[in-house]
PDB file of all heavy atoms in Angstrom:
ATOM      1  N   SER A  34      17.210  -1.078 -15.867  1.00 44.00           N
ATOM      2  CA  SER A  34      17.898   0.141 -15.461  1.00 44.00           C
ATOM      3  C   SER A  34      18.274   0.128 -13.987  1.00 44.00           C
ATOM      4  O   SER A  34      18.575   1.148 -13.408  1.00 44.00           O
ATOM      5  CB  SER A  34      17.006   1.350 -15.754  1.00 44.00           C
ATOM      6  OG  SER A  34      15.764   1.204 -15.109  1.00 44.00           O
ATOM      7  N   VAL A  35      18.205  -1.047 -13.363  1.00 45.00           N
ATOM      8  CA  VAL A  35      18.613  -1.152 -11.973  1.00 45.00           C
ATOM      9  C   VAL A  35      19.920  -1.918 -11.904  1.00 45.00           C
ATOM     10  O   VAL A  35      20.300  -2.634 -12.822  1.00 45.00           O
ATOM     11  CB  VAL A  35      17.539  -1.889 -11.130  1.00 45.00           C
ATOM     12  CG1 VAL A  35      16.292  -1.057 -11.043  1.00 45.00           C
ATOM     13  CG2 VAL A  35      17.223  -3.250 -11.716  1.00 45.00           C
ATOM     14  N   ASP A  36      20.599  -1.765 -10.784  1.00 49.00           N
ATOM     15  CA  ASP A  36      21.905  -2.395 -10.646  1.00 49.00           C
ATOM     16  C   ASP A  36      21.810  -3.900 -10.444  1.00 49.00           C
ATOM     17  O   ASP A  36      22.687  -4.655 -10.843  1.00 49.00           O
ATOM     18  CB  ASP A  36      22.660  -1.764  -9.459  1.00 49.00           C
ATOM     19  CG  ASP A  36      22.988  -0.307  -9.713  1.00 49.00           C
ATOM     20  OD1 ASP A  36      23.180   0.047 -10.889  1.00 49.00           O
ATOM     21  OD2 ASP A  36      23.053   0.456  -8.735  1.00 49.00           O
ATOM     22  N   GLU A  37      20.720  -4.356  -9.782  1.00 56.00           N
ATOM     23  CA  GLU A  37      20.600  -5.758  -9.449  1.00 56.00           C
ATOM     24  C   GLU A  37      19.945  -6.525 -10.589  1.00 56.00           C
ATOM     25  O   GLU A  37      18.750  -6.385 -10.814  1.00 56.00           O
ATOM     26  CB  GLU A  37      19.779  -5.939  -8.170  1.00 56.00           C
ATOM     27  CG  GLU A  37      20.319  -5.176  -6.977  1.00 56.00           C
ATOM     28  CD  GLU A  37      19.809  -3.756  -6.890  1.00 56.00           C
ATOM     29  OE1 GLU A  37      19.384  -3.233  -7.957  1.00 56.00           O
ATOM     30  OE2 GLU A  37      19.833  -3.184  -5.812  1.00 56.00           O
ATOM     31  N   PRO A  38      20.677  -7.367 -11.322  1.00 51.00           N
ATOM     32  CA  PRO A  38      20.104  -8.090 -12.457  1.00 51.00           C
ATOM     33  C   PRO A  38      18.989  -9.042 -12.055  1.00 51.00           C
ATOM     34  O   PRO A  38      18.054  -9.279 -12.804  1.00 51.00           O
ATOM     35  CB  PRO A  38      21.308  -8.853 -13.044  1.00 51.00           C
ATOM     36  CG  PRO A  38      22.295  -8.935 -11.921  1.00 51.00           C
ATOM     37  CD  PRO A  38      22.117  -7.659 -11.157  1.00 51.00           C
ATOM     38  N   GLU A  39      19.056  -9.608 -10.819  1.00 56.00           N
ATOM     39  CA  GLU A  39      18.011 -10.532 -10.406  1.00 56.00           C
ATOM     40  C   GLU A  39      16.689  -9.812 -10.186  1.00 56.00           C
ATOM     41  O   GLU A  39      15.616 -10.380 -10.383  1.00 56.00           O
ATOM     42  CB  GLU A  39      18.417 -11.277  -9.118  1.00 56.00           C
ATOM     43  CG  GLU A  39      18.519 -10.416  -7.859  1.00 56.00           C
ATOM     44  CD  GLU A  39      19.849  -9.698  -7.733  1.00 56.00           C
ATOM     45  OE1 GLU A  39      20.619  -9.730  -8.711  1.00 56.00           O
ATOM     46  OE2 GLU A  39      20.115  -9.118  -6.671  1.00 56.00           O
ATOM     47  N   ILE A  40      16.741  -8.540  -9.794  1.00 61.00           N
ATOM     48  CA  ILE A  40      15.520  -7.754  -9.631  1.00 61.00           C
ATOM     49  C   ILE A  40      14.922  -7.444 -10.992  1.00 61.00           C
ATOM     50  O   ILE A  40      13.725  -7.544 -11.211  1.00 61.00           O
ATOM     51  CB  ILE A  40      15.812  -6.450  -8.858  1.00 61.00           C
ATOM     52  CG1 ILE A  40      16.124  -6.784  -7.390  1.00 61.00           C
ATOM     53  CG2 ILE A  40      14.627  -5.497  -8.939  1.00 61.00           C
ATOM     54  CD1 ILE A  40      16.444  -5.572  -6.547  1.00 61.00           C
ATOM     55  N   ALA A  41      15.786  -7.062 -11.935  1.00 60.00           N
ATOM     56  CA  ALA A  41      15.313  -6.700 -13.266  1.00 60.00           C
ATOM     57  C   ALA A  41      14.729  -7.885 -14.020  1.00 60.00           C
ATOM     58  O   ALA A  41      13.833  -7.736 -14.835  1.00 60.00           O
ATOM     59  CB  ALA A  41      16.455  -6.082 -14.063  1.00 60.00           C
ATOM     60  N   SER A  42      15.238  -9.101 -13.763  1.00 68.00           N
ATOM     61  CA  SER A  42      14.821 -10.269 -14.527  1.00 68.00           C
ATOM     62  C   SER A  42      13.640 -11.009 -13.900  1.00 68.00           C
ATOM     63  O   SER A  42      12.987 -11.807 -14.557  1.00 68.00           O
ATOM     64  CB  SER A  42      16.002 -11.243 -14.678  1.00 68.00           C
ATOM     65  OG  SER A  42      16.449 -11.696 -13.403  1.00 68.00           O
ATOM     66  N   LYS A  43      13.340 -10.761 -12.651  1.00 83.00           N
ATOM     67  CA  LYS A  43      12.245 -11.455 -11.978  1.00 83.00           C
ATOM     68  C   LYS A  43      10.901 -11.034 -12.573  1.00 83.00           C
ATOM     69  O   LYS A  43      10.700  -9.878 -12.926  1.00 83.00           O
ATOM     70  CB  LYS A  43      12.282 -11.137 -10.483  1.00 83.00           C
ATOM     71  CG  LYS A  43      11.183 -11.831  -9.688  1.00 83.00           C
ATOM     72  CD  LYS A  43      11.311 -11.519  -8.207  1.00 83.00           C
ATOM     73  CE  LYS A  43      10.194 -12.172  -7.412  1.00 83.00           C
ATOM     74  NZ  LYS A  43      10.319 -11.885  -5.960  1.00 83.00           N
ATOM     75  N   ASP A  44       9.985 -11.982 -12.673  1.00 90.00           N
ATOM     76  CA  ASP A  44       8.642 -11.683 -13.173  1.00 90.00           C
ATOM     77  C   ASP A  44       7.766 -11.222 -12.018  1.00 90.00           C
ATOM     78  O   ASP A  44       7.369 -12.007 -11.163  1.00 90.00           O
ATOM     79  CB  ASP A  44       8.039 -12.926 -13.825  1.00 90.00           C
ATOM     80  CG  ASP A  44       6.637 -12.662 -14.376  1.00 90.00           C
ATOM     81  OD1 ASP A  44       6.225 -11.489 -14.410  1.00 90.00           O
ATOM     82  OD2 ASP A  44       5.969 -13.637 -14.766  1.00 90.00           O
ATOM     83  N   TYR A  45       7.449  -9.928 -11.983  1.00 91.00           N
ATOM     84  CA  TYR A  45       6.628  -9.373 -10.917  1.00 91.00           C
ATOM     85  C   TYR A  45       5.151  -9.280 -11.279  1.00 91.00           C
ATOM     86  O   TYR A  45       4.306  -9.099 -10.410  1.00 91.00           O
ATOM     87  CB  TYR A  45       7.117  -7.965 -10.557  1.00 91.00           C
ATOM     88  CG  TYR A  45       8.459  -7.941  -9.876  1.00 91.00           C
ATOM     89  CD1 TYR A  45       9.611  -7.671 -10.602  1.00 91.00           C
ATOM     90  CD2 TYR A  45       8.576  -8.195  -8.512  1.00 91.00           C
ATOM     91  CE1 TYR A  45      10.850  -7.656  -9.985  1.00 91.00           C
ATOM     92  CE2 TYR A  45       9.809  -8.187  -7.889  1.00 91.00           C
ATOM     93  CZ  TYR A  45      10.940  -7.906  -8.627  1.00 91.00           C
ATOM     94  OH  TYR A  45      12.174  -7.902  -8.016  1.00 91.00           O
ATOM     95  N   LEU A  46       4.836  -9.388 -12.559  1.00 92.00           N
ATOM     96  CA  LEU A  46       3.486  -9.081 -13.009  1.00 92.00           C
ATOM     97  C   LEU A  46       2.510 -10.255 -12.995  1.00 92.00           C
ATOM     98  O   LEU A  46       1.316 -10.068 -12.776  1.00 92.00           O
ATOM     99  CB  LEU A  46       3.542  -8.490 -14.422  1.00 92.00           C
ATOM    100  CG  LEU A  46       4.427  -7.245 -14.588  1.00 92.00           C
ATOM    101  CD1 LEU A  46       4.340  -6.728 -16.019  1.00 92.00           C
ATOM    102  CD2 LEU A  46       4.047  -6.164 -13.593  1.00 92.00           C
ATOM    103  N   SER A  47       3.014 -11.447 -13.224  1.00 88.00           N
ATOM    104  CA  SER A  47       2.134 -12.615 -13.297  1.00 88.00           C
ATOM    105  C   SER A  47       1.414 -12.844 -11.964  1.00 88.00           C
ATOM    106  O   SER A  47       2.027 -12.857 -10.897  1.00 88.00           O
ATOM    107  CB  SER A  47       2.938 -13.868 -13.657  1.00 88.00           C
ATOM    108  OG  SER A  47       3.497 -13.749 -14.940  1.00 88.00           O
ATOM    109  N   GLY A  48       0.106 -13.019 -12.055  1.00 87.00           N
ATOM    110  CA  GLY A  48      -0.680 -13.334 -10.869  1.00 87.00           C
ATOM    111  C   GLY A  48      -1.029 -12.148  -9.997  1.00 87.00           C
ATOM    112  O   GLY A  48      -1.695 -12.306  -8.975  1.00 87.00           O
ATOM    113  N   VAL A  49      -0.603 -10.947 -10.371  1.00 90.00           N
ATOM    114  CA  VAL A  49      -0.921  -9.747  -9.585  1.00 90.00           C
ATOM    115  C   VAL A  49      -2.008  -8.961 -10.308  1.00 90.00           C
ATOM    116  O   VAL A  49      -1.835  -8.582 -11.462  1.00 90.00           O
ATOM    117  CB  VAL A  49       0.324  -8.852  -9.390  1.00 90.00           C
ATOM    118  CG1 VAL A  49      -0.046  -7.608  -8.592  1.00 90.00           C
ATOM    119  CG2 VAL A  49       1.432  -9.622  -8.686  1.00 90.00           C
ATOM    120  N   ASP A  50      -3.112  -8.706  -9.637  1.00 87.00           N
ATOM    121  CA  ASP A  50      -4.244  -8.033 -10.255  1.00 87.00           C
ATOM    122  C   ASP A  50      -4.678  -6.781  -9.496  1.00 87.00           C
ATOM    123  O   ASP A  50      -5.651  -6.141  -9.870  1.00 87.00           O
ATOM    124  CB  ASP A  50      -5.438  -8.992 -10.344  1.00 87.00           C
ATOM    125  CG  ASP A  50      -5.080 -10.275 -11.068  1.00 87.00           C
ATOM    126  OD1 ASP A  50      -4.583 -10.187 -12.201  1.00 87.00           O
ATOM    127  OD2 ASP A  50      -5.270 -11.363 -10.498  1.00 87.00           O
ATOM    128  N   GLU A  51      -3.968  -6.452  -8.425  1.00 90.00           N
ATOM    129  CA  GLU A  51      -4.269  -5.260  -7.642  1.00 90.00           C
ATOM    130  C   GLU A  51      -2.991  -4.456  -7.452  1.00 90.00           C
ATOM    131  O   GLU A  51      -1.890  -5.014  -7.430  1.00 90.00           O
ATOM    132  CB  GLU A  51      -4.826  -5.633  -6.266  1.00 90.00           C
ATOM    133  CG  GLU A  51      -6.106  -6.432  -6.290  1.00 90.00           C
ATOM    134  CD  GLU A  51      -6.531  -6.836  -4.894  1.00 90.00           C
ATOM    135  OE1 GLU A  51      -5.937  -7.776  -4.347  1.00 90.00           O
ATOM    136  OE2 GLU A  51      -7.447  -6.202  -4.348  1.00 90.00           O
ATOM    137  N   ASP A  52      -3.133  -3.151  -7.277  1.00 92.00           N
ATOM    138  CA  ASP A  52      -1.966  -2.325  -6.992  1.00 92.00           C
ATOM    139  C   ASP A  52      -1.298  -2.842  -5.725  1.00 92.00           C
ATOM    140  O   ASP A  52      -1.952  -3.033  -4.698  1.00 92.00           O
ATOM    141  CB  ASP A  52      -2.387  -0.874  -6.791  1.00 92.00           C
ATOM    142  CG  ASP A  52      -2.781  -0.208  -8.101  1.00 92.00           C
ATOM    143  OD1 ASP A  52      -2.417  -0.731  -9.159  1.00 92.00           O
ATOM    144  OD2 ASP A  52      -3.449   0.843  -8.053  1.00 92.00           O
ATOM    145  N   THR A  53      -0.014  -3.062  -5.819  1.00 96.00           N
ATOM    146  CA  THR A  53       0.717  -3.722  -4.736  1.00 96.00           C
ATOM    147  C   THR A  53       2.055  -3.038  -4.490  1.00 96.00           C
ATOM    148  O   THR A  53       2.734  -2.623  -5.435  1.00 96.00           O
ATOM    149  CB  THR A  53       0.967  -5.202  -5.098  1.00 96.00           C
ATOM    150  OG1 THR A  53      -0.287  -5.861  -5.311  1.00 96.00           O
ATOM    151  CG2 THR A  53       1.726  -5.930  -4.002  1.00 96.00           C
TER     152      THR A  53
END
Side-chain angles (χ1 to χ4, degrees):
S34 56
V35 293
D36 294 330
E37 304 87 338
E39 67 277 9
I40 290 179
S42 61
K43 181 178 178 179
D44 180 10
Y45 291 98
L46 304 183
S47 296
V49 179
D50 305 306
E51 300 176 283
D52 287 342
T53 301

